[in-house]
Amino acid sequence: MTLDKDSILLIAVAIFVIAFLLASLPLKNWLEIKRVKEKELGWVKWLNEKPSRAEYCEIHKQDPDKISCDFCGASRQLPSLEMVITHQPKFGVFNNTFDRYSHFKTYICSGCGTDLYRERYEE
Ligand SMILES: [Zn+2]
């Protein structure tokens, strides 16, 4: 079998395109991981705007099992799930693996609606 010039050119272009796609996959996955980490940083910042449950108890001298609002004295806090993000993604050449999640919750006083403390849960 002999190939004419056009066929050789076509095959060369095809090989080039495939090589380019294969090389761009890791780059795309790397950028995806970078975005996930940036998003996590943003939510960690949000989390740090309020004390954690343990810090709240320490600051206001409260029992972690019986927290009452420092402003109105109400003893119920309503958890509010603000965000679920992927956490510690694993880089892969073809696909990244996302199997861990972080839940960001804020606890709101049922009496006066104040954001009392924030927690992060991982799974
Ligand atoms: Zn309150």
Side-chain angles (χ1 to χ4, degrees):
M1 188 175 100
T2 52
L3 293 168
D4 58 40
K5 239 175 157 182
D6 284 349
S7 303
I8 292 171
L9 187 67
L10 201 69
I11 291 167
V13 167
I15 289 172
F16 178 78
V17 167
I18 291 168
F20 180 79
L21 287 176
L22 283 179
S24 67
L25 268 176
L27 181 68
K28 181 184 122 304
N29 293 344
W30 178 78
L31 285 173
E32 188 177 45
I33 290 210
K34 199 163 166 271
R35 271 199 304 276
V36 165
K37 292 200 166 155
E38 278 165 6
K39 195 171 176 187
E40 183 179 1
L41 277 182
W43 280 95
V44 166
K45 202 170 153 230
W46 172 87
L47 190 69
N48 290 336
E49 285 167 6
K50 294 279 174 183
S52 68
R53 185 198 304 259
E55 285 164 352
Y56 185 83
C57 292
E58 180 139 355
I59 295 165
H60 300 287
K61 306 266 174 285
Q62 296 219 23
D63 179 348
D65 296 325
K66 285 187 292 178
I67 294 177
S68 57
C69 173
D70 202 48
F71 298 99
C72 72
S75 59
R76 276 186 68 211
Q77 295 93 44
L78 306 171
S80 163
L81 181 63
E82 297 293 316
M83 182 51 86
V84 179
I85 61 167
T86 53
H87 169 58
Q88 292 183 348
K90 289 185 206 79
F91 177 77
V93 172
F94 294 107
N95 276 307
N96 293 330
T97 314
F98 301 100
D99 55 2
R100 302 186 61 171
Y101 294 89
S102 270
H103 296 232
F104 290 86
K105 287 188 185 175
T106 190
Y107 288 80
I108 298 164
C109 169
S110 65
C112 66
T114 307
D115 253 13
L116 294 179
Y117 55 89
R118 291 176 178 172
E119 290 279 317
R120 173 180 184 167
Y121 302 93
E122 268 148 36
E123 63 176 45

